[in-house]
Amino acid sequence: GLARPHPGRGWLPPAPPAKLRPPSGPRVEHTLARGRAGAVDLPGAGAGFIYALMFADGFTRLHGKPALVIAANILSRRINPAERASSVLFADAAGALVIGQCDDADRGILGASVASDGSRYGLIQIPAGGSNTPFHGDLDLGQTRMTMTDGPEVFAKAVEMMTDCSTTALATAGVRPHNVGRFVPHQANTRIFGAVGRNLGIADQAIVKTIAEYGNSSAATVPLSLSLANQMKPFQPGEKILLAAAGAGLSGGALVVGI
Protein backbone atom coordinates (compact mmCIF):
# COMPACT_ATOMS: atom_id res chain seq x y z
CA GLY A 1 0.00 0.00 0.00
CA LEU A 2 1.07 3.56 -0.57
CA ALA A 3 0.91 6.61 1.65
CA ARG A 4 -1.34 9.26 0.20
CA PRO A 5 -1.32 13.07 0.41
CA HIS A 6 -4.11 14.78 2.33
CA PRO A 7 -4.69 18.54 1.89
CA GLY A 8 -3.42 20.41 4.91
CA ARG A 9 -2.50 17.29 6.88
CA GLY A 10 0.64 16.02 5.17
CA TRP A 11 1.15 12.34 4.45
CA LEU A 12 -1.26 9.72 5.72
CA PRO A 13 -0.37 6.05 6.26
CA PRO A 14 -1.32 3.42 3.65
CA ALA A 15 -5.05 2.99 3.23
CA PRO A 16 -6.47 -0.22 4.74
CA PRO A 17 -6.31 -3.12 4.27
CA ALA A 18 -2.79 -2.62 2.87
CA LYS A 19 -1.08 -1.97 6.20
CA LEU A 20 2.63 -2.44 6.76
CA ARG A 21 1.65 -4.41 9.88
CA PRO A 22 -0.24 -6.60 10.53
CA PRO A 23 -0.42 -8.70 7.36
CA SER A 24 -3.79 -9.17 5.65
CA GLY A 25 -3.89 -12.98 5.85
CA PRO A 26 -5.12 -13.33 9.45
CA ARG A 27 -7.99 -10.90 8.83
CA VAL A 28 -9.09 -12.85 5.75
CA GLU A 29 -8.84 -16.10 7.71
CA HIS A 30 -10.92 -14.65 10.53
CA THR A 31 -13.66 -13.70 8.07
CA LEU A 32 -13.68 -17.13 6.44
CA ALA A 33 -12.72 -19.59 9.18
CA ARG A 34 -12.82 -17.81 12.53
CA GLY A 35 -9.42 -18.94 13.75
CA ARG A 36 -9.51 -22.55 12.52
CA ALA A 37 -6.65 -22.19 10.02
CA GLY A 38 -3.23 -20.61 9.63
CA ALA A 39 -2.64 -17.58 7.42
CA VAL A 40 0.38 -15.80 6.01
CA ASP A 41 1.12 -13.04 3.49
CA LEU A 42 3.69 -13.80 0.80
CA PRO A 43 5.07 -10.86 -1.23
CA GLY A 44 6.27 -12.12 -4.58
CA ALA A 45 5.32 -9.48 -7.17
CA GLY A 46 4.29 -10.97 -10.53
CA ALA A 47 5.49 -14.44 -9.54
CA GLY A 48 3.78 -14.40 -6.14
CA PHE A 49 0.90 -16.70 -7.07
CA ILE A 50 3.26 -19.30 -8.53
CA TYR A 51 5.30 -19.38 -5.31
CA ALA A 52 2.24 -19.38 -3.05
CA LEU A 53 0.58 -22.21 -4.95
CA MET A 54 3.76 -24.28 -4.86
CA PHE A 55 4.14 -23.78 -1.09
CA ALA A 56 0.45 -24.53 -0.50
CA ASP A 57 0.77 -27.72 -2.53
CA GLY A 58 3.66 -28.84 -0.31
CA PHE A 59 1.57 -28.16 2.82
CA THR A 60 -1.40 -30.10 1.46
CA ARG A 61 0.74 -33.07 0.47
CA LEU A 62 2.41 -33.14 3.90
CA HIS A 63 -0.64 -32.61 6.10
CA GLY A 64 -3.48 -33.85 3.91
CA LYS A 65 -5.42 -30.62 4.50
CA PRO A 66 -6.82 -28.22 1.88
CA ALA A 67 -5.28 -24.79 1.32
CA LEU A 68 -6.61 -21.52 -0.03
CA VAL A 69 -4.33 -19.32 -2.13
CA ILE A 70 -5.37 -15.72 -2.81
CA ALA A 71 -3.62 -13.20 -5.05
CA ALA A 72 -4.81 -9.59 -5.02
CA ASN A 73 -3.32 -6.29 -6.12
CA ILE A 74 -4.48 -2.69 -6.39
CA LEU A 75 -1.91 -1.34 -8.83
CA SER A 76 -4.00 1.66 -9.89
CA ARG A 77 -2.60 3.41 -6.81
CA ARG A 78 0.91 2.86 -8.12
CA ILE A 79 0.53 4.04 -11.71
CA ASN A 80 3.27 6.43 -12.76
CA PRO A 81 1.81 8.95 -15.27
CA ALA A 82 5.35 9.85 -16.37
CA GLU A 83 5.89 6.35 -17.77
CA ARG A 84 3.34 5.78 -20.51
CA ALA A 85 4.72 2.33 -21.39
CA SER A 86 3.87 0.97 -17.95
CA SER A 87 1.00 3.25 -16.88
CA VAL A 88 -1.33 1.92 -19.59
CA LEU A 89 -0.87 -1.66 -18.34
CA PHE A 90 -1.34 -1.73 -14.56
CA ALA A 91 -4.72 -2.74 -13.16
CA ASP A 92 -6.57 -4.03 -10.09
CA ALA A 93 -7.67 -7.65 -9.70
CA ALA A 94 -7.93 -10.59 -7.34
CA GLY A 95 -8.14 -14.35 -7.76
CA ALA A 96 -8.33 -17.36 -5.46
CA LEU A 97 -7.81 -21.08 -5.74
CA VAL A 98 -8.47 -23.98 -3.35
CA ILE A 99 -6.38 -27.14 -3.51
CA GLY A 100 -6.99 -30.43 -1.73
CA GLN A 101 -5.40 -33.83 -1.33
CA CYS A 102 -5.48 -36.14 -4.34
CA ASP A 103 -4.10 -39.66 -4.72
CA ASP A 104 -4.07 -39.53 -8.52
CA ALA A 105 -0.44 -39.13 -9.62
CA ASP A 106 -1.53 -37.48 -12.88
CA ARG A 107 -3.39 -34.63 -11.17
CA GLY A 108 -2.18 -31.57 -9.30
CA ILE A 109 1.28 -30.04 -9.61
CA LEU A 110 3.38 -32.38 -11.73
CA GLY A 111 6.46 -30.19 -12.17
CA ALA A 112 7.78 -26.96 -10.69
CA SER A 113 10.72 -24.63 -11.15
CA VAL A 114 11.55 -21.26 -9.58
CA ALA A 115 14.35 -18.76 -10.10
CA SER A 116 15.54 -15.33 -8.99
CA ASP A 117 18.08 -12.76 -10.13
CA GLY A 118 18.86 -10.16 -7.47
CA SER A 119 21.41 -8.50 -9.75
CA ARG A 120 18.38 -7.00 -11.54
CA TYR A 121 16.71 -5.96 -8.28
CA GLY A 122 16.03 -2.37 -9.31
CA LEU A 123 14.61 -2.93 -12.79
CA ILE A 124 11.02 -2.69 -11.55
CA GLN A 125 10.47 -0.80 -8.32
CA ILE A 126 8.61 1.69 -6.17
CA PRO A 127 11.54 3.78 -4.90
CA ALA A 128 10.06 5.07 -1.64
CA GLY A 129 8.13 3.46 1.18
CA GLY A 130 10.63 0.88 2.37
CA SER A 131 13.33 1.16 5.01
CA ASN A 132 15.82 2.75 2.58
CA THR A 133 13.54 5.68 1.73
CA PRO A 134 10.73 5.93 4.27
CA PHE A 135 7.75 8.21 3.82
CA HIS A 136 8.22 11.78 5.10
CA GLY A 137 6.60 15.16 4.70
CA ASP A 138 8.60 16.44 1.71
CA LEU A 139 8.66 13.19 -0.23
CA ASP A 140 8.23 13.56 -4.00
CA LEU A 141 4.95 11.86 -4.97
CA GLY A 142 6.67 10.36 -8.01
CA GLN A 143 8.83 8.21 -5.72
CA THR A 144 5.74 6.35 -4.54
CA ARG A 145 4.85 5.21 -8.04
CA MET A 146 5.91 2.19 -10.05
CA THR A 147 8.94 2.76 -12.24
CA MET A 148 10.68 0.58 -14.81
CA THR A 149 14.29 1.65 -15.27
CA ASP A 150 15.11 -0.37 -18.40
CA GLY A 151 12.20 -1.76 -20.44
CA PRO A 152 14.30 -3.77 -22.95
CA GLU A 153 16.24 -5.40 -20.10
CA VAL A 154 13.01 -6.29 -18.29
CA PHE A 155 11.71 -7.86 -21.49
CA ALA A 156 14.86 -9.90 -22.10
CA LYS A 157 15.19 -11.16 -18.52
CA ALA A 158 11.48 -11.96 -18.16
CA VAL A 159 11.47 -13.99 -21.38
CA GLU A 160 14.64 -15.81 -20.35
CA MET A 161 13.42 -16.57 -16.82
CA MET A 162 9.95 -17.74 -17.86
CA THR A 163 11.37 -19.87 -20.67
CA ASP A 164 14.00 -21.53 -18.48
CA CYS A 165 11.59 -22.22 -15.60
CA SER A 166 8.93 -23.56 -17.96
CA THR A 167 11.42 -25.84 -19.70
CA THR A 168 12.54 -27.31 -16.37
CA ALA A 169 8.99 -27.70 -15.03
CA LEU A 170 7.85 -29.44 -18.22
CA ALA A 171 10.84 -31.80 -18.14
CA THR A 172 10.17 -32.63 -14.48
CA ALA A 173 6.53 -33.36 -15.26
CA GLY A 174 7.44 -35.42 -18.33
CA VAL A 175 5.16 -33.24 -20.47
CA ARG A 176 6.13 -32.09 -23.95
CA PRO A 177 5.27 -28.52 -24.92
CA HIS A 178 2.92 -29.62 -27.70
CA ASN A 179 0.92 -31.61 -25.12
CA VAL A 180 0.19 -28.49 -23.06
CA GLY A 181 -3.54 -27.85 -23.26
CA ARG A 182 -3.27 -24.23 -22.18
CA PHE A 183 -0.37 -21.97 -21.28
CA VAL A 184 -1.41 -19.42 -18.63
CA PRO A 185 1.37 -16.83 -18.27
CA HIS A 186 1.66 -13.76 -16.07
CA GLN A 187 0.11 -10.98 -18.14
CA ALA A 188 3.08 -8.60 -18.15
CA ASN A 189 2.70 -7.80 -21.83
CA THR A 190 1.85 -9.74 -24.97
CA ARG A 191 5.35 -9.54 -26.42
CA ILE A 192 6.84 -11.27 -23.37
CA PHE A 193 4.53 -14.26 -23.20
CA GLY A 194 4.36 -14.47 -26.99
CA ALA A 195 8.16 -14.83 -27.08
CA VAL A 196 8.06 -17.43 -24.28
CA GLY A 197 5.46 -19.44 -26.19
CA ARG A 198 7.60 -19.40 -29.32
CA ASN A 199 10.71 -20.41 -27.36
CA LEU A 200 8.87 -23.35 -25.86
CA GLY A 201 7.13 -24.40 -29.06
CA ILE A 202 3.63 -23.85 -27.68
CA ALA A 203 1.01 -22.94 -30.26
CA ASP A 204 -0.21 -19.36 -30.04
CA GLN A 205 -3.84 -20.48 -29.76
CA ALA A 206 -2.95 -22.40 -26.58
CA ILE A 207 -1.77 -19.21 -24.82
CA VAL A 208 -4.35 -17.63 -22.52
CA LYS A 209 -4.33 -13.86 -23.10
CA THR A 210 -6.27 -11.51 -20.84
CA ILE A 211 -4.10 -8.39 -20.68
CA ALA A 212 -5.97 -6.48 -23.40
CA GLU A 213 -9.20 -6.57 -21.39
CA TYR A 214 -7.92 -6.77 -17.81
CA GLY A 215 -4.38 -5.33 -17.76
CA ASN A 216 -1.45 -6.35 -15.58
CA SER A 217 -2.49 -6.89 -11.96
CA SER A 218 0.82 -8.49 -10.93
CA ALA A 219 0.35 -11.78 -9.03
CA ALA A 220 -3.42 -11.73 -9.62
CA THR A 221 -3.11 -12.15 -13.40
CA VAL A 222 -2.52 -15.93 -13.28
CA PRO A 223 -5.54 -16.91 -11.13
CA LEU A 224 -7.70 -14.36 -12.96
CA SER A 225 -6.63 -15.81 -16.30
CA LEU A 226 -7.24 -19.36 -15.05
CA SER A 227 -10.78 -18.45 -14.08
CA LEU A 228 -11.51 -16.65 -17.34
CA ALA A 229 -10.04 -19.50 -19.40
CA ASN A 230 -12.20 -22.03 -17.58
CA GLN A 231 -15.28 -19.89 -18.19
CA MET A 232 -14.50 -19.70 -21.91
CA LYS A 233 -13.75 -23.43 -22.18
CA PRO A 234 -13.89 -25.62 -19.07
CA PHE A 235 -10.69 -27.50 -18.26
CA GLN A 236 -10.95 -31.17 -19.16
CA PRO A 237 -9.82 -34.19 -17.11
CA GLY A 238 -6.31 -35.11 -18.20
CA GLU A 239 -5.55 -31.63 -19.56
CA LYS A 240 -2.09 -30.30 -18.75
CA ILE A 241 -1.79 -26.61 -17.86
CA LEU A 242 1.44 -24.62 -17.79
CA LEU A 243 1.62 -21.59 -15.48
CA ALA A 244 4.60 -19.24 -15.70
CA ALA A 245 5.51 -15.81 -14.36
CA ALA A 246 8.35 -13.37 -13.84
CA GLY A 247 8.18 -10.20 -11.81
CA ALA A 248 10.02 -7.55 -9.84
CA GLY A 249 13.05 -8.65 -7.91
CA LEU A 250 13.57 -10.36 -10.33
CA SER A 251 11.76 -13.56 -9.38
CA GLY A 252 10.02 -16.11 -11.51
CA GLY A 253 8.69 -19.62 -11.70
CA ALA A 254 6.61 -22.15 -13.59
CA LEU A 255 4.25 -24.97 -12.67
CA VAL A 256 2.80 -27.82 -14.72
CA VAL A 257 -0.63 -28.78 -13.42
CA GLY A 258 -2.62 -31.88 -14.32
CA ILE A 259 -6.39 -31.43 -14.29
Side-chain angles (χ1 to χ4, degrees):
L2 298 175
R4 59 200 192 283
H6 189 285
R9 291 169 57 187
W11 285 89
L12 297 177
K19 300 177 185 296
L20 293 178
R21 289 292 185 276
S24 300
R27 185 167 186 177
V28 175
E29 188 282 334
H30 174 73
T31 302
L32 298 175
R34 299 294 178 178
R36 295 190 297 271
V40 65
D41 284 18
L42 178 69
F49 182 78
I50 298 290
Y51 276 82
L53 182 56
M54 182 181 67
F55 295 154
D57 176 76
F59 172 86
T60 296
R61 291 176 189 265
L62 179 63
H63 297 284
K65 297 180 179 180
L68 168 65
V69 180
I70 303 169
N73 282 284
I74 303 177
L75 295 187
S76 60
R77 297 174 181 172
R78 304 180 180 185
I79 288 174
N80 185 351
E83 289 189 10
R84 174 172 168 75
S86 64
S87 65
V88 298
L89 295 176
F90 292 127
D92 305 335
L97 184 147
V98 176
I99 63 172
Q101 190 175 23
C102 179
D103 296 325
D104 187 342
D106 291 326
R107 301 182 66 190
I109 295 179
L110 308 178
S113 177
V114 291
S116 65
D117 183 359
S119 70
R120 304 302 197 275
Y121 188 73
L123 281 178
I124 307 169
Q125 61 175 301
I126 297 175
S131 58
N132 284 345
T133 310
F135 291 124
H136 51 74
D138 59 348
L139 182 68
D140 178 8
L141 185 61
Q143 290 186 282
T144 69
R145 299 295 185 249
M146 193 84 75
T147 184
M148 192 177 302
T149 59
D150 188 337
E153 180 72 357
V154 170
F155 173 85
K157 294 304 297 183
V159 170
E160 178 185 344
M161 187 172 283
M162 291 173 68
T163 299
D164 290 348
C165 287
S166 297
T167 300
T168 301
L170 287 165
T172 301
V175 175
R176 295 182 180 277
H178 65 268
N179 290 328
V180 170
R182 271 170 278 191
F183 172 35
V184 185
H186 167 47
Q187 305 290 305
N189 71 53
T190 55
R191 291 177 58 245
I192 288 177
F193 56 72
V196 174
R198 289 190 295 273
N199 289 346
L200 296 172
I202 294 176
D204 186 69
Q205 60 267 28
I207 303 176
V208 175
K209 307 168 185 177
T210 63
I211 188 171
E213 295 83 11
Y214 297 95
N216 176 358
S217 53
S218 190
T221 66
V222 172
L224 174 67
S225 297
L226 275 170
S227 178
L228 293 169
N230 187 58
Q231 290 175 29
M232 290 282 292
K233 178 184 176 184
F235 295 120
Q236 299 299 308
E239 187 175 357
K240 302 299 188 290
I241 310 297
L242 173 64
L243 314 178
L250 296 174
S251 62
L255 302 174
V256 178
V257 181
I259 302 301

